[in-house]
Amino acid sequence: MTKTILVTGGAGYVGSHACKALAAAGYTPVSFDNLSNGHEWAVKWGPLVVGDVLNPDDLDAAFAAHKPVAVMHFAALIEVGESVKYPEKFHRTNVTGSFNVLKAMGRANVDRIVFSSTCAVHGDVGGALIKESSPIDPISPYAKTKAEVEGLLADFSLSDGLKAVALRYFNASGADPDGELGEAHDPESHLIPIACQAALGQRDGMFIYGDDYDTPDGTCLRDYIHVADLAEAHVKALKRLDGAVPGVEAFCLGGGVGTSVREVLDCVKKISGVDFSVKLQARRPGDAPSLVADLSKARTVLGWTPSHSDLTTIIKTAWAWHQKHHHH
Ligand code: UFG
């Protein structure tokens, strides 16, 4: 009998790639999504339950109908700028939503969860490599909600015997190497899809937000991690929870390399063959100059090594997806 995993946000970008990886590993992913940002077309490897983490009845019904053995929890609002404008909405969806998921797990006697967290819980570490033991010091309301949920996981491990892994992603990017899935946020705010859209002529060029940072070429350094590598890490985290003791373990997931905004744009231009217009704008509020992961713990403890996260593979898969699926 295959094991069923409830995947909240399974119709979203990282969640849908995780569903594909789960299916490849022999699990049945059940996507639980309100389709506010997710897409029905992205649910291909198991059933879709349209439901909301803010509605405990929806969650109870999904647990009762599908009897999952564990949860992967992706459902959340993710845009940092929006979180500054609407902190209440972010706290409700991300924190109350997670609380509802944990309570529903308790009622259904499910004690394992893999949680989608962010490197942003560490805030701005001043250019040092970020590791799991780096201070937790979130800056944006978005990052604060993720840090708060990591705290909830710890509380529930003590009260309910919860076994949890929190995966702190760096910059999720790229698309399924088989071309079955990709990134489709609306509106789009992330660098690589915006550059692909500019190369396709879907937008009239694009902007670099600041080139006066204290970095090699003056633009921000980010650690791009291919979404298929992230998906693989989720499966490894889930397996690690088999037979684990109650508690929370965190892992930083990046490619381990800092890449500048200019390097990303040069690579998109090279791979697309389109010299789209790039203009300079003022810094975007809240951007840290450099965010790069130390992968030691993920490598040694989780046994995970990214294999698709070189910039060329990331951009090639993203570009292939955007070319074929710009109607999404
Ligand atoms: N950028 C541009 N022009 C654009 C878009 C982005 O110059 O049109 C720059 C940004 O200023 C930043 C870099 O490209 O320096 C990457 O920006 P993204 O918006 O793609 O990604 P972020 O690093 O801001 O955000 C990502 C995730 C968040 C997460 C954060 C943690 O999207 O969910 O990493 O740092 F919180």
Side-chain angles (χ1 to χ4, degrees), residues 78-80 118-120 142 169-171 189-192 194 206-210 220-222 224 261 284 287-288 291:
I78 60 160
E79 230 210 275
V80 177
T118 172
C119 69
Y142 161 73
Y169 317 157
F170 284 66
N171 288 59
S189 68
H190 295 112
L191 179 64
I192 293 174
I194 284 179
M206 62 176 296
F207 297 98
I208 290 180
Y209 300 136
C220 290
L221 292 176
R222 289 290 178 274
Y224 295 90
V261 173
R284 189 173 69 175
D287 276 343
L291 296 169

Side-chain angles (χ1 to χ4, degrees), residues 4-23 27-35 38-53 58-59 61-63 65-66 68 70-75 181:
T4 297
I5 310 299
L6 190 73
V7 183
T8 74
Y13 174 45
V14 185
S16 61
H17 286 80
C19 286
K20 179 171 180 174
L22 281 169
Y27 297 93
T28 301
V30 173
S31 295
F32 179 93
D33 203 299
N34 69 0
L35 300 179
H39 308 279
E40 206 163 345
W41 53 257
V43 181
K44 304 184 186 195
W45 290 276
L48 168 65
V49 175
V50 179
D52 199 311
V53 291
D58 287 355
L59 285 163
F63 278 98
H66 295 282
V71 172
M72 284 190 185
H73 180 35
F74 297 91
L181 294 167

Side-chain angles (χ1 to χ4, degrees), residues 200-326:
L200 282 167
Q202 291 171 347
R203 52 174 79 224
D204 195 12
M206 62 176 296
F207 297 98
I208 290 180
Y209 300 136
D211 72 346
D212 56 351
Y213 286 96
D214 186 15
T215 57
D217 69 12
T219 64
C220 290
L221 292 176
R222 289 290 178 274
D223 183 341
Y224 295 90
I225 169 77
H226 195 287
V227 66
D229 285 333
L230 272 186
E232 199 50 50
H234 285 76
V235 175
K236 288 198 182 267
L238 181 68
K239 289 187 172 161
R240 187 166 168 78
L241 289 173
D242 267 337
V245 293
V248 193
E249 210 174 11
F251 292 97
C252 286
L253 301 179
V257 177
T259 304
S260 77
V261 173
R262 276 203 200 283
E263 287 172 312
V264 168
L265 298 187
D266 287 347
C267 189
V268 175
K269 286 185 176 185
K270 188 169 152 219
I271 284 167
S272 67
V274 182
D275 188 16
F276 51 88
S277 141
V278 175
K279 294 195 179 121
L280 190 62
Q281 250 194 9
R283 291 182 178 194
R284 189 173 69 175
D287 276 343
S290 170
L291 296 169
V292 184
D294 177 337
L295 301 187
S296 315
K297 186 178 175 194
R299 282 189 206 278
T300 54
V301 180
L302 202 55
W304 172 83
T305 302
S307 59
H308 297 87
S309 293
D310 59 284
L311 189 62
T312 305
T313 305
I314 287 174
I315 306 277
K316 271 190 177 163
T317 55
W319 174 241
W321 168 258
H322 280 278
Q323 271 179 300
K324 271 200 218 137
H325 300 273
H326 48 87

Side-chain angles (χ1 to χ4, degrees), residues 118-141:
T118 172
C119 69
V121 297
H122 296 294
D124 181 0
V125 299
L129 290 183
I130 296 175
K131 50 186 176 201
E132 296 76 6
S133 54
S134 302
I136 300 291
D137 188 15
I139 296 163
S140 68

Side-chain angles (χ1 to χ4, degrees), residues 70-151:
V71 172
M72 284 190 185
H73 180 35
F74 297 91
L77 298 174
I78 60 160
E79 230 210 275
V80 177
E82 200 194 350
S83 80
V84 177
K85 276 195 204 146
Y86 308 109
E88 188 199 338
K89 189 167 100 175
F90 272 67
H91 276 84
R92 195 164 54 239
T93 301
N94 294 6
V95 182
T96 307
S98 297
F99 181 77
N100 288 343
V101 169
L102 294 173
K103 293 297 287 178
M105 286 173 67
R107 290 190 292 274
N109 288 315
V110 175
D111 65 358
R112 282 174 283 163
I113 184 167
V114 179
F115 173 61
S116 180
S117 188
T118 172
C119 69
V121 297
H122 296 294
D124 181 0
V125 299
L129 290 183
I130 296 175
K131 50 186 176 201
E132 296 76 6
S133 54
S134 302
I136 300 291
D137 188 15
I139 296 163
S140 68
Y142 161 73
K144 285 178 191 168
T145 66
K146 292 289 181 177
E148 210 171 308
V149 176
E150 287 199 21

